[in-house]
């Protein structure tokens, strides 16, 4: 969470149009919360780190 | 926000009786899924009766994924090289992907649908062994899990379009959008179709419960569906990974490093199979 002039800012919501691999993974997992699909998300992040789409 | 569809669209599931019949070969091969009644020669003969199917089978056998140093020119060769069960699954898939005509108009993306279906099928086959499930059955169940969406798109296009619009505007799941706009969802429609087509009970259950399963083949398909979305196999810009509790994921007892390798293999296999099946 960022602080800007004393106001707590939420991280920006992922957007579909951002083509970078990290942003796309964040967008695909936008409905999941910690404790749901963590194992899959970690595996996808690891895959995309060595093997971008 | 004002809902895009003011009046819910009622879909009469009984209307699925108007659907075209399944190709005979699919019915025959599905009926042999739990038995070894079909011999290699019988399977080869059945495939050979359909020129388009035979051509696709040989293209798959000669694809870079399955390809061998020497070209495969006969169906029996393809079965011997790739394996009886795999060929049977691929033949069913090849036949099903052409069974539904694509009506003019409507906004349903058929290519996107089949890319996801094939992706889920490949994912299901990869994880089936962990759950002691036949990879063959898992592949077919994965391929068919969203078949209700195809019924809605081809026979209730207005309802299908309304649900998709709702999903896109509310950033929710397809099931939620269908429930909101039509009071039903594709899992229920798919189950009705599977019963109408007399699919094996295990596959019917997987279609009906691929969004809420906690065990068995339906869970394999549920996890495979999520993996296919996470790998972005369909090319749907608005795709989202469905929420599944980590307690269920933990049943997929695969070491993290092996899981990453499996995901890489799934991407390659999906690309090759989809290239042949959707050509």
């Amino acid at each position: 969470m960022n602080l800007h002039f004393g106001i707590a800012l939420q991280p920006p919501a992922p957007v579909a149009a951002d083509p970078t691999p990290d942003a796309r993974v964040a967008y695909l997992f936008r409905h999941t919360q910690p404790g749901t699909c963590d194992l899959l998300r970690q595996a996808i992040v690891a895959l995309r780190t060595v093997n971008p789409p | 926000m004002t809902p895009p569809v003011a009046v819910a669209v009622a879909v009469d599931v009984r209307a699925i009786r108007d659907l075209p019949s399944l190709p005979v070969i699919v019915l025959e091969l599905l009926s042999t899924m739990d038995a070894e009644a079909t011999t290699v020669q019988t399977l080869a003969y059945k495939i050979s009766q359909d020129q388009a199917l035979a051509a696709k089978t040989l293209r798959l056998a000669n694809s870079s994924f399955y390809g061998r140093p020497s070209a495969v020119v006969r169906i029996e060769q393809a079965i011997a090289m790739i394996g009886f069960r795999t060929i049977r699954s691929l033949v069913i898939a090849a036949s099903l992907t052409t069974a539904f005509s694509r009506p003019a108009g409507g906004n349903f993306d058929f290519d996107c649908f089949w890319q996801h279906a094939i992706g889920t099928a490949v994912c299901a086959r990869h994880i089936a062994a962990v759950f002691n499930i036949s990879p063959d059955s898992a592949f077919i169940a994965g391929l068919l899990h969203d078949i209700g969406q195809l019924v809605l798109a081809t026979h209730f296009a207005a309802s299908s379009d309304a649900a998709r619009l709702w999903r896109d505007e509310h950033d929710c799941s397809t099931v939620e959008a269908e429930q909101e706009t039509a009071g039903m969802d594709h899992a229920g429609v798919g189950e009705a179709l599977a019963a109408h087509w007399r699919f094996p009970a295990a596959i019917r259950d997987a279609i009906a419960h691929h969004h809420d399963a906690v065990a068995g083949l339906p869970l394999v398909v549920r996890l495979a569906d999520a993996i296919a979305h996470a790998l972005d196999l369909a090319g749907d810009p608005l795709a989202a990974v469905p929420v599944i509790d980590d307690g269920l994921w933990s049943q997929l007892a695969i070491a993290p490093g092996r899981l990453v390798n499996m995901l890489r293999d799934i991407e390659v296999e999906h690309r090759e199979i989809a290239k042949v099946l959707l050509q």
Side-chain angles (χ1 to χ4, degrees):
Chain A
M1 184 180 296
N2 300 319
L3 285 175
H4 184 71
F5 298 111
I7 302 170
L9 301 177
Q10 293 295 328
V15 293
D18 190 333
T20 60
D22 285 352
R24 183 60 182 161
V25 172
Y27 181 77
L28 289 166
F29 282 88
R30 67 193 181 281
H31 291 169
T32 66
Q33 303 292 327
T36 64
C37 300
D38 287 351
L39 300 174
L40 179 60
R41 182 175 13 213
Q42 288 158 10
I44 294 290
V45 168
L47 175 70
R48 293 293 175 243
T49 301
V50 296
N51 188 30
Chain B
M1 180 184 291
T2 306
V5 181
V7 180
V9 182
V11 171
D12 185 351
V13 174
R14 288 171 299 179
I16 65 171
R17 286 179 189 151
D18 296 335
L19 283 175
S21 302
L22 265 184
V24 173
I25 191 170
V26 174
L27 289 170
E28 289 180 353
L29 294 182
L30 278 174
S31 70
T32 68
M33 293 292 282
D34 296 325
E36 292 305 322
T38 305
T39 64
V40 169
Q41 288 76 20
T42 307
L43 178 61
Y45 175 77
K46 288 179 193 297
I47 296 170
S48 302
Q49 296 306 295
D50 184 326
Q51 285 188 358
L53 210 51
K56 275 192 178 181
T57 305
L58 291 177
R59 278 214 305 275
L60 277 166
N62 286 297
S63 70
S64 59
F65 183 73
Y66 293 110
R68 301 295 191 275
S70 58
V72 178
V73 294
R74 291 187 305 114
I75 300 297
E76 288 88 343
Q77 263 183 298
I79 296 172
M81 285 183 165
I82 298 177
F84 179 89
R85 290 165 182 269
T86 302
I87 283 287
R88 179 169 57 182
S89 301
L90 292 173
V91 167
I92 292 172
S95 198
L96 283 169
T97 50
T98 53
F100 281 81
S101 57
R102 302 184 179 198
N107 298 311
F108 190 78
D109 188 334
F110 285 86
D111 287 328
C112 185
F113 172 87
W114 282 115
Q115 290 281 359
H116 175 66
I118 293 167
T120 304
V122 172
C123 292
R125 181 158 67 195
H126 274 265
I127 66 174
V130 176
F131 294 86
N132 203 22
I133 298 284
S134 148
D136 229 12
S137 297
F139 183 89
I140 296 303
L143 185 79
L144 293 169
H145 76 288
D146 275 340
I147 199 81
Q149 285 188 23
L150 208 50
V151 174
L152 293 171
T154 52
H155 288 70
F156 306 95
S159 175
S160 174
D161 287 349
R164 194 161 36 264
L165 187 61
W166 179 280
R167 183 201 77 159
D168 295 351
E169 291 199 352
H170 293 78
D171 191 23
C172 62
S173 71
T174 301
V175 166
E176 288 171 296
E178 290 165 344
Q179 287 289 354
E180 284 290 339
T181 57
M184 41 56 67
D185 61 55
H186 66 270
V189 173
E191 181 185 20
L193 174 65
H196 177 68
W197 276 348
R198 301 185 190 284
F199 282 170
I203 292 177
R204 285 207 307 265
D205 280 351
I207 292 170
H209 298 291
H210 71 270
H211 288 294
D212 57 14
V214 294
L217 180 60
L219 177 60
V220 168
V221 173
R222 185 180 181 190
L223 298 178
D225 175 51
I227 295 170
H229 280 303
L231 285 171
D232 220 0
L233 297 179
D236 175 2
L238 299 178
V241 177
V243 175
I244 300 178
D245 190 85
D246 272 354
L248 290 175
W249 279 112
S250 66
Q251 293 186 42
L252 185 61
I254 298 177
R258 214 181 121 222
L259 179 58
V260 174
N261 289 336
M262 178 191 286
L263 295 177
R264 190 181 299 121
D265 292 344
I266 286 170
E267 284 191 316
V268 174
E269 189 173 345
H270 167 261
R271 191 162 51 241
E272 292 296 328
I273 293 178
K275 194 162 58 182
V276 174
L277 292 184
L278 302 181
Q279 228 172 21

